[in-house]
Amino acid sequence: MKLFEQNGGMDESKKIRIALTAVTIAAALIRICYAIPGMLNPELVMRTDTATYLGPALSLLHDGTYSTAPGSGIPALVRTPGYPAFLAFLLGISGHSPGFCVLVSALLGGLTVIPVFLSARLYAPWKAALAATVLFVLNPTAIALSPMLISDTLFVFFLSFQICFFLKFLKTKQAGFLYGSVAVAGAAALIRPLNLLWILPCIFVVCCIKEIPWRKKAIHSLGSLLIFLLILTPWVVRNHLRGAGWRIDAVSADTALHNRSALESRLTGKQGEELRACYRAEAETEFRAHPEKYRTEADKFSYFEGRLLEIVREHPFRYFALHFRPVVLIPDAASFLENLGLTRTGRGTWDVINRHGLAAGIRHYFNGSYLLPCLLAPLLLAAALTYLLAAFTLVRAIVKRDWLLVLLFLLFAEYYLFMPGPVAMPRYHLAALPFLTVMAGCAIENLRYVRTGFPPDEKQL
């Protein structure tokens, strides 16, 4: 990989450890201080999704079952077990304190900078890697999501190690790092199913590594697939036995409903919430009219997924185009402010953006006043700089035909931006930030080389 070169001698290891420790402490303190309002009033950092995590968590804690709520006896199908199990553990050791969960989540968000730095350090000098990591520390989306009682922060913590192990595999060609990356990816899929199909592009990238013989590529690919399936299959079987079909969770049906409304909203100009209400009413009518056809939850989930496929068949190119929406890269200033109680959610801003564009959505959300976003200018600048530096590295890779780096960008950044589909919420780009930070570190070093005229010291590893 021509663009990725590691620097920093062993004689500097102490300096590196001190610098990383300082940045990690700073990241943790920023996030903990930011989380104080949420610790005092956990409702500030809860969203609609939170109840679907808390119910199974409390059920695990009280009944030892994965149900929708303690004593309900209704199997929880909406969420995978990773984050509810994490919440159950925190609630169990804290005497059912949501504030403690908020604190630990914020701390975890701070600790994520360690694998992010280690990943960047593999392919950039430590000072460039550290500078890029500081951009991650100051990223408003990473800060905003850190105390929230949803799965994103825990997922990205795992994802950062997934990236680190995979990049270490590319450096060393040792299969253990690849299998470690795949195992972490499987565990991350049980936290957030976004990782469910990641194994397919992962295997493709492995097969594109020139230095590995085809026999080893086949072994690595089959081994990776086996590890991934061994982690996920038991949960899929559990859901099947409880009537959900061969699914890792039931979110696919809800996602289908939202993606259908996003597409139809673009086509007709109608509000997404209005469309979703119509879809739900239609579904209830259908279920009542044909109870024999919808005897299980799996049948009902398939109905929503089938209705999405119908409209996608009619507008395939428009639907596919909606997966590429730059709006997903907008820093999540809304969540940042809502967690502090400065603004409130549930105002239909994303429906406005879907129908009228970003500028109209910003005006709608802030009621025409731009004082609050101006106060966030330094953090917004850090996010913009990360994107610009990552874009520089990507363009340079294309120009220099470093196709492996391009594939890594698709595997660890574009995959996570593409998979959520037309519903492009700002928090969805959090999963792409760790690798964008690695790319930013490479850009910082390459720009230094352009400025000084001296290449990196290749003797320092």
Side-chain angles (χ1 to χ4, degrees), residues 1 4-6 20 112-126 128-130 132-133 156-171 181 408 412 433-442:
M1 301 205 358
F4 284 178
E5 293 184 356
Q6 188 178 8
L20 177 58
T112 301
V113 305
I114 296 176
V116 168
F117 170 80
L118 294 176
S119 298
R121 174 74 183 97
L122 285 169
Y123 294 105
W126 75 268
L130 192 72
T133 303
V156 172
F157 181 75
F158 274 71
L159 175 61
S160 298
F161 282 103
Q162 172 188 330
I163 294 171
C164 188
F165 289 152
F166 193 92
L167 296 183
K168 188 69 173 177
F169 162 69
L170 290 181
K171 274 289 185 180
S181 176
L408 289 176
F412 288 119
L433 281 179
F435 191 72
L436 293 179
T437 302
V438 175
M439 297 177 71
C442 297

Side-chain angles (χ1 to χ4, degrees), residues 381-400:
L381 180 62
L385 189 56
T386 303
Y387 295 151
L388 288 173
L389 291 171
F392 173 85
T393 296
L394 181 61
V395 171
R396 193 168 186 268
I398 294 172
V399 170
K400 290 186 170 290

